[in-house]
Amino acid sequence: MSTITADEIRAIETRHPQIFQRPAYKRFWPVLLIAGTVLYLGYALWFFSLPQVLRESHWERLPLFLSQWISYDLQPEFRLDQPEITPKYPRFSALGEHPNPDWVIKNPDGTYTVQIDGDAKSVTFDKTRAAITANGVTVPIVLTGGKSVITGTVPDWVTVHDDEIVAKLGFVGEVRVTVDRVKVRKRFLGWANFVFDTRSPFFGKPYSEVISLIVSGPELKPGTSNLALAADNFWNNAQWQHGDVWTKLLQTIVMAFLGTLLGGIVAFPLAFFAARNITPSGVLSQVLKRFFDFMRSVDMLIWALFFTRAFGPGPLAGSAAIFFTEIGTLGKTYSEALENIDDKPREGVLSTGANEILVQRYGVLPEVVPVFISQTLYQWESNTRGATIIGAVGAGGIGLKLWEAMRTNSNWANVFYMVLLTLLVVFIFDNISNFLRRRLSRTLHDYNRLQAERG
Amino acid sequence: MTSATLHSDATRQQADAWRRQTSLRRFYTALGVGLLLVAMFATMWFADEANAGHFFDRLPHILDFLSWLVPKDWNDVWRALFDIASPSDKGTQEFNFPLGRVYIWGGFYIPEYFELMLTTVNVALVSTFIGFVFAVPFSFIAARNLTPSPTLRLVIKRFMELLRAFPEIVIAGLFAAIVSIGPVAAIIAIGLHSIGALGKLFYEINENIDMRPEEGLRAVGANWFERVRFADLPQVLPNFMSYTLLRIEINVRISTIMGAVGGGGIGEELKLAISRGFGAKTLALVLLLFITIFVVDQFSAWLRRKLVGEQAFLMSA
Amino acid sequence: MSASSATLEIRGVTRRFGKNTAVSDINISIPRGQMVGIIGRSGAGKSTLLRMINRLVDPSQGSIFFDGTEVSSLQGSPLRRWQRDCAMIFQQFNLVPRLDVLTNVLLGRLNHRSTVSNLLGMFTRTECAEAVAALERLDIARTALQPAGTLSGGQQQRVAIARAMMQQPKVLLADEPIASLDPLNAKVVMDSLRDINLREGITVVTNLHTLDTARAYCSRIIGMAAGKVVFDGAPEDLDRDTVRTVYGADASGTEISEAITSTSVTVRPKITASAGPLEPAFPGY
């Protein structure tokens, strides 16, 4: 194909004006659409004052929070103005009442060494001087003269304030030195005291010892078997609150289950009266359909808030909220499924002279029940996720607990624990529901295939 | 089956087999329903036990509870909605309607609740947009038949699954600590969730497309981007848009709830109004929220019907 | 056959799918401008062979040369350039049903342009005019703004040919182009292919499952059976015995009659009328 000349182009254009002179709105609608979207985004940027929000945000907190999800820290403090230097730990520290960690070393010459990352990152001090070692450098600090002073150059990981010297040592921790005290923060990967808290008699014992105690040890608490004691200590672990978390999780599951099931039970008969092709009265159908829309549009949040006020916070309120929303959603989907059924089986049963109820039972039910079950499972699955959120407004379940744990910004490891459990539950229930729905659709598929083969 | 044929042995055997099969099926159905009923009553009992107030204790007081909702003056509902001063105003927060006015220009103002509703809807729209923009390219990478690299496909797929299952409230809480509590944290949370939710639906659509146009363009010498743009996108775009509209409906609801836990918007105000028992304010808020959700739902349903026909309303079975 | 320029050479090409060998050790040389028909039963490996030439399928063994270049080893953008030069037409047309006919034809130009301008869908005035000219020549210009999916099979196949012409190919491969068409449209499509071959001098290789079409249109016929070439020669040389080796006899031993594989049309005058606009839309096309 050789090139085409300008005259030929003109000739073609005059022959086909409908192709080359299309109305502007048809040619430019993608451009208009994009321009509209950009305009809206600009408006949203202004509406949410995004530049300002981003300017004032603290992104440096993100890695800190995320690292707190999977780690914990210990913060020993050494008073230098006392007659003798002794490490002090905060109350409720992860080490229990009698901490004696092997990374706090009292040297023979009277100085203390705290290993933050072995000897490579450590601090050694007595009442007059301190030395912070990290990144291959040792920074000497003089503490006499009423001020903490660094002799020599200051590396960039050390910040000198008026009365305090702060050395940030990365993930593993930090050291703060003032004239009268040395504060160390040492960070450990993992979750502290996940099984037994510091008050438990099993605390700090290696697993083998715990197991041998449970199997054949003497009763630690007279009158209670060690197994029961261990289970009780685990369940009531003060820091992780396993018992409470799991109960709340169960509440979330129950809310979704109960709400969806009850919604389905109520929506089922109503859907028959709402389906245009089955209902005895068109007015009734319209009324019911508007009722379904109403229940859906009032929104789960409003129902949750109302029922929380009516029944008090807890899973009952949550179940009721899901129940009311689900009447609307399931009623709507059920009646639409009924309106889409094939009329032939129904007519067949009708032709035998069966009464109205029997017609529904044998002509309609076999067709729609698998569809109904599938849609109910789908809603159940999505309500399991939804129940987590409405819990946060007081409707019971893990949501509130999660929200409260996050509000303090300190207990991120607990948050992560609950998130993991929630993910696990969502994952399991997704798979159960998927499995059941696939089974159902296979049954449907087989049924259709058999029908087709029979002609 | 007529009575005459019943006398044949073969027929009788067949009838027996049929009866056995039916009774077995009936047994399983009854067992399933029975188990479901047991589970239902057990969970009811559990929910009731765990609740702060119990069902039968509270039932007689349900109407008492509703009584605060009935305002002394029904006109207060309109006044609350449009921020018009109320004669009942005694300086308390219950009737301080004009305080919330958002002045735009001179004496022209947007009533407080409309402004809050706008925030909630905007949160939903922006987060759905974020979800859509990321979900579309991800879905082409995650679809088995279109992916440019199987490893990348697996990574993207797992990533989207994680985003979908991760509780929005945790993402919101995390970002509330970073970008301050408010609508931006809600947008990030709902947006991330939407990426996962839309991405999953989208790549499932992608895996069901007709591959012949794709093959045709491959034979033309088109690269991956060109094939996706011209052979795949035209096929799936109506379905994508339909699911995105559905997502807007869902996100308006989620953003309301997010508001109630600090995400800004109408949810927060509604929670306050209900917990303090401000009847007129509650009714005004419920009315506004109801109308908005209803309008969004109906508009989206209308648009989806135009895009893909009745198919838009058949849930994946 | 002389190794003249722009010759398509297939040397020892084999393709296996798992344990099945679809195409086994094929050696063919097709000089420029020939119109070749490949015949054989379904499953004989005709489609696989064509797909390997266009590189939709890679050969398990052997190599394919065009104009001295080994196209069977190309990767990335050189591969896509070869695919541009080697247009392909499919039994199922493989158009994008939701896009309009004009856009479908313009898609033939994808490899001539930058990816960015392609993705934005900005085609120049000249390209649009060329696309319309191609449609005019195939007598379907009035459908230019309809979605391709709404056209009849014959019209769609003509759109596919127009798209192939927009590629400005050196070789045109057609994989059962008329198998899904009624006899009338089949004739129009085959006439267009012959016209392209005669006027542009483009090499045309087409799979056909009907013998008389091959006889009527092709100057050279290649017969394939069980992945091997069993006949290669002029249509006149294709005698009864050869036909039997190509198509085989069925289980009862009865022969395949040529009439069964026929697409001949009895209403000839009407066809010439509908295949009418063979006069070029503009000179030089």
Side-chain angles (χ1 to χ4, degrees):
Chain A
M1 188 158 70
S2 56
T3 46
I4 175 170
T5 66
D7 286 342
E8 286 153 6
I9 294 178
R10 257 195 302 284
I12 289 169
E13 281 177 358
T14 42
R15 264 204 304 276
H16 300 283
Q18 84 282 10
I19 297 175
F20 292 94
Q21 271 131 41
R22 278 194 273 179
Y25 73 91
K26 269 191 178 164
R27 266 186 295 166
F28 293 114
W29 74 262
V31 181
L32 288 177
L33 195 70
I34 290 169
T37 312
V38 169
L39 268 176
Y40 175 75
L41 288 178
Y43 157 76
L45 215 67
W46 167 80
F47 186 85
F48 294 116
S49 47
L50 205 60
Q52 193 197 346
V53 171
L54 289 182
R55 212 168 37 244
E56 289 167 4
S57 59
H58 302 271
W59 290 100
E60 76 281 357
R61 288 182 188 164
L62 185 61
L64 188 71
F65 287 157
L66 291 182
S67 71
Q68 286 175 4
W69 287 24
I70 47 162
S71 65
Y72 65 98
D73 53 21
L74 292 172
Q75 303 182 20
E77 185 183 320
F78 302 83
R79 295 294 294 256
L80 306 180
D81 51 1
Q82 307 285 317
E84 190 173 354
I85 304 175
T86 45
K88 290 189 74 174
Y89 296 85
R91 267 164 61 93
F92 309 121
S93 106
L95 288 174
E97 279 172 44
H98 307 289
N100 189 21
D102 55 4
W103 42 269
V104 175
I105 301 157
K106 189 167 188 183
N107 297 316
D109 61 352
T111 61
Y112 263 96
T113 298
V114 182
Q115 295 175 328
I116 295 163
D117 187 10
D119 272 326
K121 286 183 181 173
S122 62
V123 57
T124 304
F125 56 90
D126 60 15
K127 287 185 178 185
T128 55
R129 65 201 151 80
I132 303 171
T133 308
N135 307 330
V137 191
T138 299
V139 180
I141 301 169
V142 178
L143 297 173
T144 46
K147 212 170 178 233
S148 46
V149 180
I150 292 183
T151 52
T153 53
V154 182
D156 57 359
W157 43 272
V158 176
T159 320
V160 181
H161 296 289
D162 273 353
D163 55 348
E164 192 181 40
I165 289 166
V166 182
K168 300 224 182 248
L169 307 180
F171 175 80
V172 289
E174 64 176 29
V175 182
R176 287 167 183 270
V177 182
T178 57
V179 178
D180 57 353
R181 79 185 67 188
V182 174
K183 282 173 86 172
V184 174
R185 203 178 69 211
K186 181 171 160 72
R187 183 163 284 283
F188 296 84
L189 208 61
W191 288 344
N193 310 332
F194 183 70
V195 181
F196 299 115
D197 63 19
T198 52
R199 293 171 313 167
S200 161
F202 297 103
F203 169 72
K205 296 192 165 63
Y207 287 112
S208 53
E209 195 185 335
V210 170
I211 289 169
S212 73
L213 268 174
I214 289 174
V215 173
S216 60
E219 282 185 2
L220 292 172
K221 188 177 162 193
T224 322
S225 79
N226 279 346
L227 182 61
L229 184 66
D232 180 68
N233 282 342
F234 174 75
W235 190 253
N236 294 315
N237 183 323
Q239 195 181 341
W240 292 93
Q241 305 177 342
H242 299 292
D244 195 33
V245 167
W246 290 7
T247 314
K248 293 278 163 60
L249 197 64
L250 189 62
Q251 289 180 9
T252 300
I253 299 170
V254 160
M255 277 155 61
F257 173 76
L258 200 55
T260 317
L261 183 64
L262 290 177
I265 290 174
V266 173
F268 181 75
L270 293 183
F272 282 85
F273 291 102
R276 226 175 302 133
N277 50 347
I278 293 173
T279 184
S281 138
V283 180
L284 187 62
S285 156
Q286 279 305 312
V287 169
L288 277 173
K289 280 189 173 167
R290 293 293 85 77
F291 169 70
F292 291 152
D293 279 340
F294 173 79
M295 298 301 264
R296 254 161 53 83
S297 300
V298 168
D299 194 19
M300 211 188 278
L301 171 75
I302 301 180
W303 291 126
L305 290 171
F306 270 119
F307 286 116
T308 310
R309 212 186 132 98
F311 294 125
L316 194 60
S319 310
I322 296 178
F323 168 44
F324 270 53
T325 322
E326 244 11 82
I327 292 178
T329 312
L330 286 177
K332 194 174 156 72
T333 50
Y334 285 179
S335 59
E336 268 161 13
L338 283 171
E339 282 171 5
N340 283 329
I341 58 167
D342 181 8
D343 252 354
K344 286 194 282 294
R346 209 172 134 241
E347 281 169 2
V349 179
L350 200 62
S351 73
T352 62
N355 70 27
E356 190 57 34
I357 293 185
L358 284 177
V359 169
Q360 308 307 334
R361 166 65 185 83
Y362 290 103
V364 179
L365 266 192
E367 248 189 293
V368 293
V369 158
V371 183
F372 281 10
I373 296 178
S374 167
Q375 282 164 344
T376 315
L377 285 171
Y378 189 83
Q379 284 306 116
W380 177 45
E381 190 185 318
S382 90
N383 281 337
T384 307
R385 277 195 292 273
T388 328
I389 317 178
I390 59 161
V393 298
I398 193 103
L400 191 60
K401 206 165 169 52
L402 258 175
W403 188 243
E404 277 167 358
M406 278 185 301
R407 286 271 282 277
T408 56
N409 272 349
S410 58
N411 211 345
W412 286 107
N414 269 18
V415 171
F416 190 46
Y417 172 48
M418 287 186 264
V419 166
L420 281 185
L421 285 179
T422 316
L423 284 179
L424 190 72
V425 165
V426 169
F427 177 76
I428 291 173
F429 282 74
D430 265 16
N431 277 302
I432 295 179
S433 151
N434 267 334
F435 168 77
L436 289 176
R437 280 192 291 142
R438 216 171 312 131
R439 280 284 305 261
L440 267 175
S441 79
R442 198 156 59 220
T443 322
L444 270 182
H445 180 80
D446 286 351
Y447 173 79
N448 289 339
R449 191 171 48 80
L450 284 175
Q451 292 293 311
E453 277 171 10
R454 279 183 202 148
Chain B
M1 203 173 286
T2 66
S3 54
T5 55
L6 264 176
H7 294 292
S8 128
D9 260 5
T11 319
R12 195 173 303 146
Q13 268 173 14
Q14 214 177 349
D16 282 350
W18 180 80
R19 209 173 297 135
R20 259 201 309 280
Q21 207 189 336
T22 316
S23 60
L24 195 68
R25 208 178 53 211
R26 230 171 248 160
F27 170 74
Y28 279 129
T29 312
L31 189 72
V33 170
L35 282 176
L36 211 58
L37 281 178
V38 169
M40 188 177 88
F41 286 114
T43 49
M44 273 174 161
W45 173 84
F46 173 78
D48 195 46
E49 277 300 299
N51 212 66
H54 297 301
F55 185 70
F56 290 108
D57 299 346
R58 299 289 308 176
L59 204 57
H61 305 289
I62 287 279
L63 287 180
D64 306 350
F65 148 73
L66 284 175
S67 64
W68 64 267
L69 258 183
V70 182
K72 276 176 288 186
D73 179 1
W74 280 96
N75 286 325
D76 276 342
V77 177
W78 301 111
R79 293 187 192 117
L81 199 55
F82 295 107
D83 285 0
I84 298 162
S86 161
S88 334
D89 192 356
K90 305 280 187 298
T92 59
Q93 281 187 32
E94 188 168 2
F95 296 107
N96 61 350
F97 304 144
L99 269 186
R101 291 180 181 183
V102 181
Y103 284 94
I104 297 291
W105 181 65
F108 181 74
Y109 68 91
I110 300 179
E112 184 187 13
Y113 293 167
F114 284 86
E115 164 87 4
L116 291 173
M117 194 68 241
L118 192 66
T119 310
T120 297
V121 172
N122 274 335
V123 167
L125 287 179
V126 173
S127 50
T128 313
F129 178 79
I130 294 174
F132 180 80
V133 163
F134 284 93
V136 169
F138 283 1
S139 74
F140 285 112
I141 299 171
R144 194 181 306 119
N145 47 348
L146 303 175
T147 184
S149 138
T151 338
L152 194 61
R153 163 170 187 258
L154 215 66
V155 172
I156 294 275
K157 229 176 109 169
R158 291 283 162 274
F159 176 63
M160 290 196 303
E161 268 165 25
L162 189 70
L163 285 183
R164 200 171 80 95
F166 216 91
E168 286 111 322
I169 197 138
V170 174
I171 305 179
L174 182 66
F175 280 95
I178 291 164
V179 297
S180 80
I181 200 156
V184 177
I187 288 177
I188 296 175
I190 305 175
L192 286 177
H193 180 78
S194 300
I195 295 176
L198 284 178
K200 180 181 189 285
L201 290 170
F202 286 2
Y203 88 72
E204 280 171 359
I205 298 173
N206 279 342
E207 286 185 349
N208 287 323
I209 61 165
D210 177 7
M211 287 301 281
R212 283 175 311 193
E214 156 100 6
E215 190 185 34
L217 284 200
R218 196 186 284 266
V220 164
N223 62 29
W224 187 81
F225 293 100
E226 290 159 352
R227 289 201 303 271
V228 164
R229 161 71 179 79
F230 288 107
D232 308 327
L233 204 59
Q235 288 188 56
V236 295
L237 202 58
N239 275 318
F240 278 18
M241 294 314 294
S242 165
Y243 277 118
T244 308
L245 287 167
L246 204 62
R247 194 72 223 169
I248 290 179
E249 292 178 40
I250 299 170
N251 279 353
V252 169
R253 291 175 159 85
I254 300 182
S255 110
T256 320
I257 301 178
M258 283 289 171
V261 293
I266 200 158
E268 200 164 11
E269 197 63 28
L270 182 68
K271 192 184 171 191
L272 279 178
I274 292 183
S275 64
R276 292 181 186 168
F278 296 162
K281 281 188 169 181
T282 304
L283 282 180
L285 285 163
V286 167
L287 189 69
L288 185 60
L289 191 56
F290 173 75
I291 290 173
T292 309
I293 290 185
F294 186 78
V295 167
V296 168
D297 280 9
Q298 296 300 317
F299 176 70
S300 146
W302 172 79
L303 213 57
R304 279 186 290 140
R305 209 178 289 259
K306 275 193 78 162
L307 275 169
V308 287
E310 288 298 325
Q311 186 201 340
F313 302 92
L314 297 177
M315 286 199 184
S316 54
Chain C
M1 225 160 272
S2 70
S4 69
S5 70
T7 304
L8 184 65
E9 292 226 40
I10 298 160
R11 293 184 194 158
V13 162
T14 299
R15 171 69 204 196
R16 282 180 288 269
F17 293 104
K19 280 180 184 163
N20 296 335
T21 306
V23 169
S24 121
D25 193 26
I26 289 206
N27 287 285
I28 305 173
S29 177
I30 300 171
R32 191 190 163 167
Q34 221 172 32
M35 177 132 176
V36 182
I38 304 180
I39 56 167
R41 292 163 65 154
S42 55
K46 305 181 304 247
S47 253
T48 311
L49 181 63
L50 281 202
R51 276 156 192 273
M52 280 193 289
I53 298 175
N54 186 270
R55 291 290 308 282
L56 289 175
V57 174
D58 288 334
S60 311
Q61 257 167 31
S63 43
I64 300 166
F65 286 87
F66 181 77
D67 207 2
T69 319
E70 185 181 350
V71 294
S72 52
S73 65
L74 296 177
Q75 285 303 328
S77 61
L79 168 64
R80 290 196 292 273
R81 265 200 299 285
W82 159 243
Q83 287 175 323
R84 174 192 71 190
D85 290 340
C86 164
M88 184 136 176
I89 291 166
F90 298 84
Q91 178 179 350
Q92 295 296 328
F93 331 124
N94 292 17
L95 299 174
V96 188
R98 277 184 195 274
L99 293 181
D100 61 41
V101 166
L102 191 68
T103 313
N104 263 296
V105 175
L106 285 166
L107 291 183
R109 269 300 152 89
L110 286 183
N111 205 290
H112 293 253
R113 302 145 34 85
S114 80
T115 304
V116 174
S117 64
N118 278 337
L119 294 186
L120 292 175
M122 297 188 303
F123 294 95
T124 65
R125 198 165 147 238
T126 318
E127 282 165 336
C128 285
E130 278 173 359
V132 174
L135 287 172
E136 270 185 342
R137 205 176 128 174
L138 292 155
D139 196 25
I140 43 170
R142 66 186 176 284
T143 64
L145 295 178
Q146 288 179 30
T150 62
L151 267 55
S152 73
Q155 287 173 318
Q156 289 199 39
Q157 195 60 293
R158 280 185 271 168
V159 175
I161 294 175
R163 178 172 77 184
M165 292 319 293
M166 284 298 278
Q167 286 175 244
Q168 298 180 332
K170 295 175 179 143
V171 179
L172 182 63
L173 307 175
D175 186 9
E176 303 279 10
I178 54 169
S180 304
L181 305 183
D182 59 89
L184 227 83
N185 276 305
K187 170 112 174 57
V188 176
V189 165
M190 285 314 292
D191 283 347
S192 320
L193 288 182
R194 176 162 62 189
D195 181 61
I196 287 163
N197 174 254
L198 292 178
R199 272 180 218 269
E200 320 283 333
I202 293 173
T203 314
V204 173
V205 184
T206 172
N207 279 348
L208 295 165
H209 65 292
T210 56
L211 204 48
D212 62 335
T213 322
R215 277 192 201 279
Y217 287 96
C218 302
S219 55
R220 175 180 172 191
I221 290 180
I222 294 173
M224 279 181 76
K228 290 194 169 61
V229 173
V230 292
F231 173 82
D232 187 353
E236 306 85 70
D237 303 335
L238 195 64
D239 55 24
R240 188 173 266 269
D241 280 347
T242 335
V243 169
R244 199 179 300 153
T245 43
V246 172
Y247 285 102
D250 62 18
S252 60
T254 47
E255 283 174 29
I256 307 284
S257 93
E258 197 160 313
I260 292 174
T261 68
S262 162
T263 39
S264 57
V265 182
T266 42
V267 273
R268 243 163 215 287
K270 212 174 170 184
I271 297 148
T272 6
S274 80
L278 282 178
E279 72 267 24
F282 51 90
Y285 182 90

